[in-house]
Amino acid sequence: MNALNTLTAHDLLARMQQGECTSESAVRAILDAIGRVDPVLHSYLTVNAEASLTQAREADAARRGGDDRPLLGVPIAVKDVLNVRGQPCTCASKILKGYVAPYDATAIARLRAAGAVFVGRTNMDEFAMGSTTENSAYGVTRNPWATDHVPGGSSGGSAVAVAADEAIAALGTDTGGSIRQPAAFCGCVGLKPSYGRVSRYGLTAYASSLDQIGPMTKDVRDAALLLQAMAGYDPLDSSSLPAPVPDFAAALKTDLKGVTLGLPREYFVGGLDPDVERRLQEAVAVCRQLGATTVEVSLPRTRQAIATYYIIAAAEASANLARFDGVRYGFRAAGSEDPLSLYKRTRAQGFGDEVKRRIILGTYVLSSGYYDAFYLRAQKVRALIRNDFGAAFEKCDAILAPVSPTPAYRIGEKSADPLQMYLGDIFTVPVNLAGICGLSVPCGFTAANLPVGLQIVGPALGEEAILRVGHAYENATEWHRRRPGSESSARQE
Amino acid sequence: MGEYLTTIGLEVHVQLKTCSKMFCACSTDFGVDPNTQVCPVCLGYPGSMPVMNREAIRLTVISGLMLGCRINPQSKFDRKSYFYPDMPKNYQITQYDQPLCLGGGVEIEVEGVSRTVGLTRIHLEEDVAKNNHFATWSGIDFNRAGVPLMEIVSEPDMETPAEAFAYLQALRQLLVYAGVSDCNLEEGKMRCDVNVSLRPRGQVELGTKAEIKNLNTFKGVFNALEFEIHRQADVLQGGGRIVQETRRWDADTGQTYSMRSKEDAHDYRYFPEPDLMPVVLPPEVVKEWESALPERPRQRRERFVNDLGLPEYDAGVLAADKDVGDYFEDTLRYVKRPKAVSNWVMTDVLRTLSEQNLPITAFPVKPEALGELIELAETKVINSNTAKQVFGIMLAEGGGAKAIVAARGLAQVSDTGLIEKVVDQAIAENPKSVEDFRLGKDAALKHLIGQVMRLSKGKANPQMVGELLGKKIGRG
């Protein structure tokens, strides 16, 4: 029998339903795994050992009483940007040190209602700003496939927890690729739902018009399972969509007959790491074998996406992060004499460099006299990018794309050059700007044995289409079953 | 000052009368313990998001319709960024370039001359917290943070402090009539910032303005403007230049003081609030609200004159304050005698209110009781002196007029036999007055009537007494 921590959520649920194991034993297996590998990987910022065991025992008791809620007893790791009542929520920032969330995010409340157990809080780039999880105030997280490499970011801790079997599944957030890119770097599945599909209430905002919560899982079926529990209109989030939530599991099929997949001309014209490009071409071939037809599409504003993203995201961040001032909660710098010096000291000492960089950038682009040239123009380009995708989806059901031009970087490799780092987001940020959905699934490895991700992009509220493609693909390839390092030996197929 | 023209514009903030705050479900009750009406949203906690209060939108649109504004079919909210401890998020959710209402005006009357002061716009925003300063520390009360706040911006359309004063009074009257706010100044539910500039007579373009903040009474606005106009005139006359700045009014010293100059002005970095959707108001919704608009003070005044036959003066006094007008009309439901009710409300009721410094809503004599009293007086069950006496008893002890009259035996005596008896007694006891009256001294009749009233303990019908005396003494 597989060690319980290596199971997918749907396998674990099946076993619990059969009475073959308990939630408590699964949580213990998770805690053991964390004890073994997390001293090196550092995917967790806090582990709720006692609380999660209590929750697990309650879930087991409920199941004995006939309860069979969709996620009953499934241990889930939560990115440290989501508010869970009674737990810290530092956003990997010093400025929120000591803050304890007084309420549940809506996504958390819904998972809780579905029976999920919250094992701990995962590391991230501070306030979700970064692509490597190096921008955490609480230390770097390491890629389980090569511990001198980054796991990607900003949801790096969640990706590692899933990939290294320190969690059954995890939640991430994705503003410009922060679920999909670490999923690709770590060899797990990551879904960024359409903007408005999952309530943002309780997600500490980085860029409000781009942020989305999504699942990071060991396979596509689990992504569908978690999305099912979280999706749907929330009166507390005015930007959540009042659209019906389909049965995502019903969309999962093993063939792609009748599916048309778009290949963006602009995404396959050099600049890609050769191994990444080969794995993608192989993945496209697999999809064709499964019955899909492919068609070339064009996304002409791809080149403008990075600049557009960094203007809009930074602008929104500059306001969203203004509330961290030392007045009401979190870190407060000592020695302040008046409000202004309190703000200056608290924010100077509390924020890291990347956060400061984006706050300054955002403040600048919103400043009187610069607003039209930067923010307003960026919004216009954003509309054009959205139109590009609209036109592309008239010709196809989903788009196949790289997640990142390269596999995982070495730790420290890019941190000195923010611009190079930003360019790594070229294939993920357009999806956020357009408000559409994207799925990252493992599609093989580089020569250096680093995972590569395939991105499947769908139209707004088109999660069924991308989950279908992702499921059929992984069903045909099984890349997603590979596990890194010594933990993989614990997994006997 | 004759050589300068003054230009005044006002920005009035009004707290709307909603049960819950602008973007969360917290109560808006005033006067409760600090920080007891707060939640993650109005405290600006990480991850919290605003949800629009539809009632606040409706009340703002109602205000706009009452003030003759154009209602924007689509408006939106924006973030206004600045750091201050009373701002939980360090940005305020407000409306920048697409407010709910545009244009409109307020009719004012100064020294008998009526004119309309133009409005620029009305927008909706959230109130900030209240900073309280103590000897060695400061506290922030977030109960006020997030209360719906409507900002009414006038055109630079007034020329004298008296006009500004009249504008504020008329505006307040309309908003109270609209039922959108209590406009209670003591509770800070209506607050005012003033812009004022001077320019030499003959100059077309406006002079440099100063903005005065911290005005929480109408009298304060008047006094601050008087002071500021003199100050600016002195500066200009001395050959100086007015600097664009924000000034603070100190009611204790009666002066304005510079707070910050234009160079220190905030760059608010407005941008559209991404957490809220634009507000779309379909024309049929606005029409529906418009068709159900409350009566305006002027309409009520006209109705009082045309339908109730009240004199213009009475109608003006009664309609000036909505609560007084309501009290008047409530009383009319119990006694259908408009002029008599008007007389009572304008004299005894209003005088008592001003003596006891009470709002009419807290007046102990309720419309039903007053109506009963007036009915008794008008049907001569009691005479007018008794009526005043009963009013005093109702005021001091409560109770209904009929019950008081019955319990104390105050009913007027109109029984001819009984009155005749007393009249005869008075004639017998006052031969000198009877003689004087017979000789044509009218004052003697008054004395005799007084005697009859005394003997009847004030209950005799004075008219009947007069007639009887005349008949008996032979001068009827």
Side-chain angles (χ1 to χ4, degrees):
Chain A
M1 183 183 275
N2 294 348
L4 294 176
N5 58 304
T6 67
L7 296 178
T8 61
H10 60 86
D11 281 341
L12 174 63
L13 281 161
R15 292 200 189 185
M16 291 192 292
Q17 281 158 352
Q18 297 301 313
E20 293 169 17
C21 74
T22 61
S23 174
E24 183 177 359
S25 56
V27 170
R28 286 196 190 281
I30 296 286
L31 295 174
D32 285 351
I34 294 170
R36 280 199 305 279
V37 303
D38 220 48
V40 172
L41 299 180
H42 190 47
S43 64
Y44 282 92
L45 290 176
T46 43
V47 178
N48 314 315
E50 284 315 308
S52 56
L53 283 169
T54 304
Q55 261 189 297
R57 282 189 287 268
E58 286 167 2
D60 290 332
R63 187 174 293 286
R64 284 193 297 276
D67 191 344
D68 190 25
R69 279 174 288 154
L71 293 169
L72 185 62
V74 175
I76 288 174
V78 178
K79 187 179 182 182
D80 204 34
V81 74
L82 294 162
N83 283 264
V84 178
R85 189 187 175 95
Q87 294 185 9
C89 180
T90 67
C91 300
S93 179
K94 185 181 170 189
I95 210 159
L96 274 171
K97 196 166 193 166
Y99 165 75
V100 174
Y103 71 103
D104 273 347
T106 298
I108 295 295
R110 290 182 178 181
L111 290 174
R112 197 191 286 286
V117 172
F118 302 110
V119 268
R121 322 256 332 149
T122 56
N123 200 12
M124 54 186 282
D125 287 298
E126 185 180 3
F127 286 106
M129 297 179 186
S131 311
T132 61
T133 314
E134 291 170 293
N135 300 331
S136 166
Y138 305 106
V140 299
T141 296
R142 294 172 182 275
N143 191 315
W145 294 93
T147 54
D148 57 345
H149 282 62
V150 301
S154 66
S155 311
S158 288
V160 172
V162 171
D165 289 320
E166 296 179 83
I168 300 297
L171 294 187
T173 62
D174 191 317
T175 307
S178 282
I179 287 174
R180 291 160 286 159
Q181 183 254 27
F185 279 16
C186 293
C188 63
V189 170
L191 170 63
K192 186 210 92 77
S194 311
Y195 186 76
R197 179 62 102 178
V198 176
S199 167
R200 293 184 292 117
Y201 188 79
L203 156 60
T204 307
Y206 155 27
S208 310
S209 73
L210 301 160
D211 295 340
Q212 265 291 293
I213 302 169
M216 304 183 77
T217 55
K218 293 173 189 177
D219 68 7
V220 172
R221 183 173 293 281
D222 272 8
L225 184 65
L226 263 67
L227 180 64
Q228 195 76 50
M230 294 189 289
Y233 176 70
D234 174 15
L236 297 178
D237 173 4
S238 307
S239 68
S240 69
L241 294 170
V245 178
D247 179 353
F248 295 116
L252 305 179
K253 292 179 184 158
T254 50
D255 68 72
L256 292 176
K257 289 192 185 87
V259 175
T260 305
L261 297 171
L263 302 173
R265 186 188 306 148
E266 293 80 1
Y267 285 14
F268 295 95
V269 286
L272 285 179
D273 174 282
D275 280 355
V276 169
E277 182 157 15
R278 271 192 288 276
R279 295 296 90 79
L280 276 158
Q281 296 301 355
E282 290 162 10
V284 171
V286 170
C287 291
R288 287 201 192 102
Q289 282 162 21
L290 289 167
T293 43
T294 56
V295 55
E296 188 181 77
V297 294
S298 177
L299 300 169
R301 277 80 171 201
T302 301
R303 274 163 45 86
Q304 285 79 32
I306 295 288
T308 304
Y309 170 82
Y310 277 95
I311 288 168
I312 292 172
E316 293 177 4
S318 72
N320 281 329
L321 272 62
R323 70 190 63 198
F324 304 111
D325 57 8
V327 172
R328 282 146 297 128
Y329 45 75
F331 169 74
R332 177 188 289 180
S336 305
E337 311 250 296
D338 55 71
L340 192 61
S341 72
L342 173 74
Y343 297 150
K344 285 182 171 175
R345 284 161 181 265
T346 299
R347 290 166 67 82
Q349 296 170 29
F351 287 136
D353 287 346
E354 183 62 25
V355 171
K356 286 177 188 162
R357 183 178 294 126
R358 295 193 196 187
I359 289 174
I360 292 167
L361 178 62
T363 303
Y364 178 75
V365 299
L366 290 175
S367 295
S368 166
Y370 297 95
Y371 180 88
D372 289 1
F374 291 110
Y375 186 76
L376 203 60
R377 183 172 297 182
Q379 289 293 8
K380 288 177 182 164
V381 177
R382 181 179 188 172
L384 296 175
I385 289 171
R386 193 179 293 134
N387 293 346
D388 283 356
F389 278 104
F393 284 122
E394 285 178 11
K395 292 164 59 178
C396 63
D397 302 304
I399 290 170
L400 297 184
V403 176
S404 166
T406 67
Y409 327 124
R410 283 178 190 282
I411 290 171
E413 184 183 338
K414 300 252 179 172
S415 47
D417 189 346
L419 194 57
Q420 273 306 308
M421 183 99 81
Y422 296 170
L423 289 172
D425 301 335
I426 184 72
F427 302 123
T428 48
V429 293
V431 173
N432 301 77
L433 288 168
I436 57 181
C437 56
L439 177 70
S440 172
V441 294
C443 70
F445 291 83
T446 63
N449 203 36
L450 290 169
V452 177
L454 165 68
Q455 186 177 203
I456 306 157
V457 176
L461 297 176
E463 282 84 0
E464 287 169 285
I466 61 174
L467 288 167
R468 175 183 177 181
V469 175
H471 177 71
Y473 173 77
E474 74 177 10
N475 191 58
T477 57
E478 307 221 329
W479 292 116
H480 63 290
R481 293 194 195 278
R482 292 239 191 139
R483 281 294 174 273
S486 57
E487 278 296 300
S488 61
S489 61
R491 199 180 154 83
Q492 298 145 14
E493 296 298 333
Chain B
M1 231 169 0
E3 65 263 47
Y4 297 111
L5 287 173
T6 303
T7 304
I8 300 166
L10 269 66
E11 293 165 17
V12 177
H13 287 91
V14 176
Q15 278 188 4
L16 293 174
K17 210 157 63 174
T18 54
C19 299
S20 58
K21 291 188 180 179
M22 187 64 226
F23 299 119
C24 63
C26 288
S27 164
T28 56
D29 285 350
F30 179 83
V32 301
D33 285 344
N35 297 315
T36 53
Q37 289 171 172
V38 292
C39 75
V41 175
C42 57
L43 285 174
Y45 267 52
S48 64
M49 295 176 69
V51 176
M52 193 101 65
N53 183 332
R54 287 163 189 276
E55 178 65 1
I57 301 275
R58 191 183 72 87
L59 294 179
T60 304
V61 171
I62 297 273
S63 307
L65 291 170
M66 291 284 276
L67 292 162
C69 304
R70 296 192 305 283
I71 307 304
N72 226 340
Q74 176 164 328
S75 70
K76 68 174 172 71
F77 284 86
D78 302 275
R79 292 184 181 180
K80 175 185 184 180
S81 288
Y82 64 93
F83 279 82
Y84 203 67
D86 63 10
M87 286 262 285
K89 303 182 292 296
N90 289 316
Y91 62 81
Q92 182 188 31
I93 303 177
T94 180
Q95 298 192 286
Y96 179 51
D97 56 353
Q98 291 178 37
L100 278 164
C101 313
L102 292 162
V106 175
E107 201 178 300
I108 62 167
E109 192 181 306
V110 176
E111 287 166 9
V113 180
S114 290
R115 60 172 291 248
T116 299
V117 175
L119 295 181
T120 310
R121 57 186 274 166
I122 305 177
H123 68 256
L124 186 54
E125 59 192 27
E126 53 180 341
D127 209 342
V128 296
K130 193 160 171 36
N131 292 346
N132 294 312
H133 302 291
F134 306 100
T136 58
W137 60 289
S138 293
I140 311 171
D141 180 3
F142 288 94
N143 286 349
R144 196 178 75 178
V147 169
L149 197 63
M150 178 171 71
E151 181 171 339
I152 301 168
V153 183
S154 85
E155 291 285 287
D157 212 6
M158 288 160 275
E159 296 181 347
T160 63
E163 282 192 335
F165 190 83
Y167 167 83
L168 288 169
Q169 280 194 315
L171 182 63
R172 179 177 185 214
Q173 188 189 45
L174 259 159
L175 295 175
V176 171
Y177 263 83
V180 302
S181 174
D182 299 332
C183 293
N184 185 323
L185 295 150
E186 288 78 35
E187 293 180 1
K189 288 181 176 170
M190 189 174 185
R191 311 191 289 267
C192 189
D193 299 336
V194 170
N195 289 296
V196 55
S197 67
L198 266 57
R199 68 184 195 276
R201 225 169 253 285
Q203 180 180 313
V204 176
E205 67 272 22
L206 296 179
T208 306
K209 69 177 179 182
E211 182 178 12
I212 313 170
K213 289 194 178 285
N214 192 33
L215 297 164
N216 41 27
T217 64
F218 294 174
K219 196 71 197 152
V221 170
F222 185 91
N223 291 339
L225 277 169
E226 291 252 282
F227 174 86
E228 184 61 19
I229 290 166
H230 276 105
R231 186 191 70 83
Q232 290 190 18
D234 285 350
V235 170
L236 294 172
Q237 260 157 356
R241 254 173 9 98
I242 301 296
V243 286
Q244 186 167 340
E245 62 182 348
T246 303
R247 299 177 72 84
R248 183 178 58 85
W249 168 246
D250 186 327
D252 295 330
T253 61
Q255 297 195 17
T256 63
Y257 298 92
S258 183
M259 279 170 76
R260 56 173 184 264
S261 74
K262 193 192 176 189
E263 284 70 43
D264 310 324
H266 296 293
D267 180 351
Y268 292 120
R269 307 192 303 279
Y270 288 99
F271 75 102
E273 167 58 271
D275 286 339
L276 292 169
M277 301 297 106
V279 181
V280 178
L281 290 167
E284 60 271 21
V285 169
V286 176
K287 250 192 200 113
E288 191 190 314
W289 290 345
E290 193 163 19
S291 68
L293 276 190
E295 192 177 39
R296 289 177 179 79
R298 171 212 264 279
Q299 293 171 318
R300 191 178 224 184
R301 221 158 48 229
E302 288 168 2
R303 183 163 58 79
F304 284 178
V305 171
N306 298 333
D307 297 1
L308 302 179
L310 290 185
E312 290 274 359
Y313 176 79
D314 292 36
V317 171
L318 294 172
D321 182 317
K322 179 173 183 294
D323 290 333
V324 171
D326 288 349
Y327 183 92
F328 166 73
E329 295 210 58
D330 284 348
T331 308
L332 270 190
R333 285 166 44 210
Y334 302 100
V335 49
K336 308 260 175 287
R337 299 171 189 273
K339 180 57 184 159
V341 176
S342 165
N343 289 346
W344 274 92
V345 173
M346 289 202 307
T347 54
D348 300 85
V349 175
L350 289 182
R351 187 182 59 236
T352 312
L353 289 174
S354 102
E355 282 167 8
Q356 304 191 357
N357 198 19
L358 276 180
I360 196 158
T361 45
F363 192 57
V365 180
K366 297 301 166 200
E368 184 172 4
L370 183 68
E372 205 175 281
L373 175 65
I374 293 172
E375 186 64 23
L376 291 178
E378 291 296 310
T379 54
K380 313 286 181 202
V381 174
I382 54 175
N383 61 44
S384 62
N385 284 336
T386 310
K388 309 266 171 198
Q389 191 189 339
V390 174
F391 182 76
I393 295 167
M394 293 197 302
L395 200 55
E397 301 168 21
K402 277 184 189 158
I404 293 169
V405 167
R408 309 196 180 206
L410 294 174
Q412 181 165 258
V413 174
S414 301
D415 179 316
T416 319
L418 282 175
I419 294 179
E420 207 169 341
K421 240 172 87 182
V422 194
V423 166
D424 288 345
Q425 190 185 344
I427 289 173
E429 288 173 5
N430 297 282
K432 171 94 172 74
S433 297
V434 171
E435 189 55 32
D436 286 351
F437 177 51
R438 195 169 279 139
L439 292 172
K441 288 190 182 166
D442 284 349
L445 179 64
K446 281 201 178 123
H447 177 74
L448 284 168
I449 292 173
Q451 292 307 308
V452 176
M453 296 309 285
R454 184 178 61 80
L455 289 168
S456 72
K457 299 197 173 68
K459 292 190 288 188
N461 181 331
Q463 202 184 338
M464 289 175 69
V465 171
E467 284 166 11
L468 258 176
L469 280 169
K471 215 189 285 170
K472 293 209 176 240
I473 301 171
R475 261 200 66 188

